[in-house]
Amino acid sequence: QVQLVESGGGLVQAGGSLRLSCAASGRTFGYYGMGWFRQAPGNEREFVAGITWNGVSTTYTDSVKGRFIMSRDNAKNMVYLQMNSLKPEDTAIYYCAQGRSMYAFPGSSWSSYEYWGQGTQVTVSS
């Protein structure tokens, strides 16, 4: 059974930084692409960032490009989201997700991801 556990959320002032972590267990982590999604109250879950199984390539939604950096450490079964220059509109629950297929980049569609964490709250005050 795959488990994804996020941590690192919290309350931060606008302009500040947070680093989210996601610990994975249950199947060979290094075979699967990973993603970060977020959901604000009243909004649909949206793609934030994704990374290939080997960490070579990343992709970001336009609103976070240049501010967020996604990375992974396959030796530790961890994936990270470094969030800089945070804005109030970044406030949401952030979810870590693992792709369905080995050696594939899941992309930005939530349906391409098979397993999800429970989420961690990020609140950015103005």
Side-chain angles (χ1 to χ4, degrees), residues 7-27:
S7 61
L11 173 64
V12 64
Q13 288 188 331
S17 298
L18 282 175
R19 188 195 195 204
L20 304 184
S21 299
C22 173
S25 62
R27 64 180 181 181

Side-chain angles (χ1 to χ4, degrees), residues 32-35 49-53 55 57-59 70-72 79 105-106:
Y32 296 90
M34 299 292 295
I51 193 166
T52 52
W53 60 275
S57 296
T58 52
T59 188
M70 185 174 183
S71 61
R72 66 188 298 161
V79 67
F105 180 54

Side-chain angles (χ1 to χ4, degrees), residues 58-125:
T58 52
T59 188
Y60 303 91
T61 192
D62 286 346
S63 63
V64 309
K65 284 180 181 176
R67 300 188 298 122
F68 291 10
I69 301 172
M70 185 174 183
S71 61
R72 66 188 298 161
D73 185 338
N74 287 350
K76 296 182 178 179
N77 288 5
M78 297 289 295
V79 67
Y80 307 98
L81 186 67
Q82 178 66 42
M83 304 187 296
N84 301 319
S85 302
L86 282 161
K87 303 175 181 180
E89 51 263 44
D90 294 318
T91 295
I93 299 175
Y94 283 71
Y95 298 90
C96 168
Q98 188 173 73
R100 295 183 181 276
S101 304
M102 291 192 295
Y103 304 121
F105 180 54
S108 60
S109 173
W110 66 267
S111 62
S112 298
Y113 293 82
E114 184 170 6
Y115 295 100
W116 296 80
Q118 82 290 348
T120 186
Q121 176 71 48
V122 171
T123 303
V124 184
S125 63

